[in-house]
Amino acid sequence: MKKTKVVAAIIRDKDKILATQRGYGEYKGYWEFPGGKIENSESNEEALIREIKEELNGDIEIKKFALNIKFQYPKFFLDMDCYECKLNGEIELLEHMNSKWLSKEELDSVEWLPADIDAVNYLKNIL
């Protein structure tokens, strides 16, 4: 089974969290924390900064490591490191269909990718 190592940004603005809706692939329409695959020779932090630039044309400041999620999808195993981040400026959706800033009470209002549920539960405990 294929193993995929990725990074994800939990972008916070005070008590709100940025959620993005996938615009492509098998899981199109599901909501996620933006990020992506780590390329050879990249650190997790470098990959996350690059991915946010590629997906959202945004600049982030990585505040701290939040959690690691391991999840078995039907076709691959996902190993995802999540980081709490701050957005510097605005975003432009380049790969996503939509985005929302969600409060703690609104976190369950979207259909998250299965692997991202652990990050949602993490946020419910810290917000």
Side-chain angles (χ1 to χ4, degrees):
M1 176 96 24
K2 180 181 173 188
K3 180 179 178 182
T4 304
K5 178 72 175 168
V6 300
V7 288
I10 299 172
I11 300 173
R12 292 179 64 174
D13 184 11
K14 298 180 183 74
D15 65 340
K16 300 272 187 167
I17 302 295
L18 181 66
T20 54
Q21 188 176 31
R22 287 180 71 93
Y24 57 91
E26 183 177 352
Y27 294 96
K28 180 178 179 179
Y30 283 85
W31 292 79
E32 67 180 351
F33 297 99
K37 293 180 183 170
I38 303 164
E39 294 181 357
N40 295 340
S41 78
E42 275 186 323
S43 69
N44 285 7
E45 293 82 359
E46 289 168 335
L48 191 53
I49 289 167
R50 176 187 51 75
E51 284 286 344
I52 298 306
K53 191 65 160 171
E54 289 175 4
E55 292 183 4
L56 302 174
N57 196 25
D59 294 311
I60 56 167
E61 179 183 335
I62 298 172
K63 294 296 194 177
K64 70 176 188 173
F65 174 79
L67 74 158
N68 172 264
I69 297 171
K70 294 181 182 344
F71 190 85
Q72 182 66 60
Y73 279 100
K75 297 180 181 173
F76 66 97
F77 179 80
L78 183 73
D79 184 355
M80 179 167 63
D81 285 334
C82 303
Y83 294 84
E84 289 187 33
C85 302
K86 177 181 181 262
L87 181 66
N88 296 320
E90 301 295 318
I91 61 168
E92 175 186 1
L93 300 179
L94 302 175
E95 296 184 8
H96 294 88
M97 296 167 46
N98 200 355
S99 68
K100 291 182 182 182
W101 288 96
L102 302 173
S103 67
K104 177 180 180 177
E105 296 74 29
E106 297 169 319
L107 286 172
D108 291 328
S109 69
V110 298
E111 189 171 1
W112 292 96
L113 282 170
D116 289 46
I117 298 294
D118 284 348
V120 171
N121 291 332
Y122 164 85
L123 288 167
K124 289 177 183 177
N125 288 323
I126 67 162
L127 290 177

